[in-house]
Amino acid sequence: MRRRSTLKEIASALDLSIATVSRSLAGYEDISEKTRERVQQKAREMGYVPNVAGRMLVSGRSGFVGLVLKVRGPDFVDAYLGATVTGLSEALVAKGTDLMIATAPEGQDELEVLQRLVQSGRVDGIILTRIAEDDARIRFLQERNLPFVALGRTLAPLQPHAWIDVAGEDAFGEAFQLLYDLGHRHFGLVTITDQMTFARNREAGLARAMAATGDPSVRLTSIAAPRFDAEGHRRGIAGLLTGPDRPTAVIGLFDELALAVVQAASHLGLSIPDDLSLIGFDNVPAAAYAVPGLTTFEPGNRDIGRIAAATLLDLIEVRPKAPPTLLRNASLVLRGSHGPAPQK
């Protein structure tokens, strides 16, 4: 088996000090970018693998960032989380940090897994996803004074903390306006019952946009089921689309629900967009391949993952008094699933 190269050997090969090599590999910005790239390239060529135990002794850090994922069914992560995790991993690896994923199997409280991960001392910081209206995970991490970044906002008032979110309320207002301008007046919403902030924000944005028209003919029919209750959503969507007074336009809280509407409409013999217009959110890969293509919103989840990683590493290094927050806009992606309201 090939022997691992050492920092001393890399330093000798590049005619640099061991300290410069070590700081370059750790991503310190007091080392020029050109030198960091040169050192990292040589480390790869020589097969250098950092000694995690030694690094922890010297720095007091593990070099890992933690992420707890709730596992439900056969899919480890959905398309939303897949893009986010990809962005996280890319940005962390570029800075010499690794992503540690802990799983919470069905029936196990995600908070318990997070507590074990943090109390073990194996991570320097945490990325939180799918933020609840009042999130106990945030309270726990604040009590432990561990750096973290929340991908989403809470509705409950909590101590200031770092978060990155997408303005879903604005996106749903934009979706309504697009459909309203096309003549739609009876709208459907497929949503979830889970106490998730992103759901409440999007619902509120839709309600505000509807109220702002002052048009008494505008109506909304909503159906909801738990986030992972596919059968519950199927039943609700079927009920929404049957009968003479069905909506002419439906908005799915996210693409997975909107694509379920596509399937139900096809089964019922409804044409999209001639009989029914449809808009989703997240721009997952399947949205582009639906027939017709799904009009949706692109939140930039991969980019959000990169930003979250950079933000967390800064928090670990600097610990600012005012934690950073960022609210991004989602971009409307126009495809073929929306059109004028059908003539009666």
Side-chain angles (χ1 to χ4, degrees):
M1 186 173 63
R2 182 180 176 183
R3 183 181 64 83
R4 294 193 312 178
S5 298
T6 65
L7 289 177
K8 182 177 180 180
E9 290 169 339
I10 296 172
S12 177
L14 295 173
D15 196 23
L16 296 172
S17 70
I18 294 176
T20 297
V21 170
S22 177
R23 294 181 72 80
S24 295
L25 293 173
Y28 283 90
E29 294 186 357
D30 61 343
I31 306 297
S32 71
E33 183 177 354
K34 183 177 180 180
T35 298
R36 292 200 306 268
E37 291 177 352
R38 184 172 163 233
V39 170
Q40 290 166 1
Q41 177 63 32
K42 180 58 68 174
R44 287 192 292 269
E45 291 174 0
M46 298 180 67
Y48 173 74
V49 178
N51 185 306
V52 176
R55 181 169 63 182
M56 288 183 66
L57 286 173
V58 172
S59 66
R61 296 175 185 163
S62 69
F64 286 92
V65 163
L67 173 68
V68 178
L69 294 182
K70 189 76 173 177
V71 178
R72 291 181 175 89
D75 297 326
F76 183 59
V77 293
D78 55 28
Y80 153 72
L81 278 179
T84 305
V85 170
T86 297
L88 278 171
S89 301
E90 290 170 342
L92 290 172
V93 168
K95 292 295 185 178
T97 302
D98 294 308
L99 181 65
M100 179 181 292
I101 297 178
T103 57
E106 193 166 0
Q108 186 173 24
D109 187 356
E110 187 178 336
L111 178 60
E112 294 178 7
V113 178
L114 177 65
Q115 289 171 334
R116 287 202 305 272
L117 182 62
V118 171
Q119 291 163 358
S120 72
R122 289 179 291 170
V123 295
D124 302 320
I126 291 288
I127 297 289
L128 292 178
T129 65
R130 294 200 168 106
I131 305 304
E133 296 175 28
D134 186 2
D135 204 303
R137 299 172 301 170
I138 291 177
R139 297 183 188 277
F140 166 71
L141 291 171
Q142 288 180 324
E143 292 169 0
R144 297 288 303 210
N145 195 30
L146 186 76
F148 70 94
V149 175
L151 300 187
R153 294 162 283 170
T154 63
L155 290 182
L158 297 176
Q159 292 297 317
H161 59 274
W163 56 260
I164 301 169
D165 201 6
V166 177
E169 55 269 46
D170 293 343
F172 271 47
E174 185 178 353
F176 167 78
Q177 194 63 52
L178 171 64
L179 296 167
Y180 181 82
D181 290 344
L182 288 169
H184 296 277
R185 295 298 180 266
H186 186 187
F187 294 80
L189 174 66
V190 182
T191 185
I192 61 175
T193 56
D194 308 52
Q195 300 303 300
M196 309 296 290
T197 308
F198 81 90
R200 303 294 86 80
N201 285 341
R202 295 176 194 180
E203 292 165 0
L206 177 59
R208 282 197 297 269
M210 294 176 68
T213 66
D215 186 342
S217 69
V218 172
R219 292 182 293 147
L220 177 67
T221 303
S222 297
I223 67 102
R227 167 73 176 84
F228 295 99
D229 183 1
E231 182 56 35
H233 277 115
R234 278 193 291 270
R235 289 195 301 269
I237 292 168
L240 182 69
L241 299 186
T242 54
D245 192 34
R246 60 174 173 77
T248 62
V250 173
I251 301 175
L253 189 69
F254 42 83
D255 284 350
E256 182 181 341
L257 297 181
L259 292 171
V261 175
V262 172
Q263 292 179 332
S266 176
H267 180 73
L268 293 169
L270 298 175
S271 173
I272 297 175
D274 295 334
D275 299 320
L276 180 72
S277 284
L278 181 63
I279 296 179
F281 189 101
D282 270 336
N283 196 27
V284 301
Y289 298 104
V291 180
L294 179 65
T295 294
T296 184
F297 285 86
E298 171 57 67
N301 290 325
R302 187 168 179 174
D303 192 36
I304 287 173
R306 296 191 188 103
I307 296 170
T311 302
L312 182 56
L313 292 177
D314 286 344
L315 289 173
I316 293 169
E317 186 70 27
V318 180
R319 300 288 183 109
K321 291 183 179 179
T325 62
L326 175 63
L327 184 62
R328 293 164 48 99
N329 291 320
S331 302
L332 181 62
V333 180
L334 296 172
R335 296 195 180 104
S337 67
H338 72 286
Q343 298 297 314
K344 293 185 178 179

